[in-house]
Amino acid sequence: MSYGPDLSKLSWQVASYLDVDALGEDKWIEFSCDDPRDVIGGTKTMRFEAIGETDHKYGFIRTAGSKVEVKFRNGSEAMCDSAEEVARFIAGEFGISI
């Protein structure tokens, strides 16, 4: 049995915070995810990629109780309570504040 936030829904919400309508023509970030998959302990995880104007980054999002853990391959990581916090963290990796 899995628990925690719905990662499919979260991925759509994060994408909407990072799209051209939210950030504008010069700052938007293309955000896409794999389908969530179950891992040991009832948590779910999904890989993502984020593509900005000058950078392309990969990472994963994993449920952690009522929060989600976001990790980039470069080692940056954060525990987030909402899709907006996830989007802020991802945008921050590209030097964009929202």
Side-chain angles (χ1 to χ4, degrees), residues 3-91:
Y3 61 93
D6 178 344
L7 292 184
S8 294
K9 182 179 176 182
L10 181 114
S11 68
W12 284 102
Q13 292 170 329
V14 170
S16 72
Y17 282 111
L18 298 174
D19 72 11
V20 69
D21 293 332
L23 296 180
E25 201 56 52
D26 59 337
K27 293 183 182 177
W28 70 283
I29 299 167
E30 182 178 338
F31 179 78
S32 62
C33 297
D34 290 346
D35 290 331
R37 60 187 176 97
D38 293 323
V39 292
I40 296 173
T43 62
K44 289 192 175 280
T45 188
M46 67 182 174
R47 291 181 299 180
F48 72 85
E49 69 179 311
I51 304 168
E53 186 175 9
T54 60
D55 209 354
H56 194 146
K57 298 178 182 266
Y58 296 92
F60 71 88
I61 298 173
R62 177 178 25 222
T63 58
S66 64
K67 296 180 181 246
V68 292
E69 177 183 27
V70 183
K71 284 190 177 182
F72 281 96
R73 286 189 184 166
N74 68 7
S76 296
E77 61 184 89
M79 292 296 286
C80 301
D81 291 311
S82 67
E84 185 176 4
E85 283 185 27
V86 173
R88 259 194 231 121
F89 174 63
I90 291 170

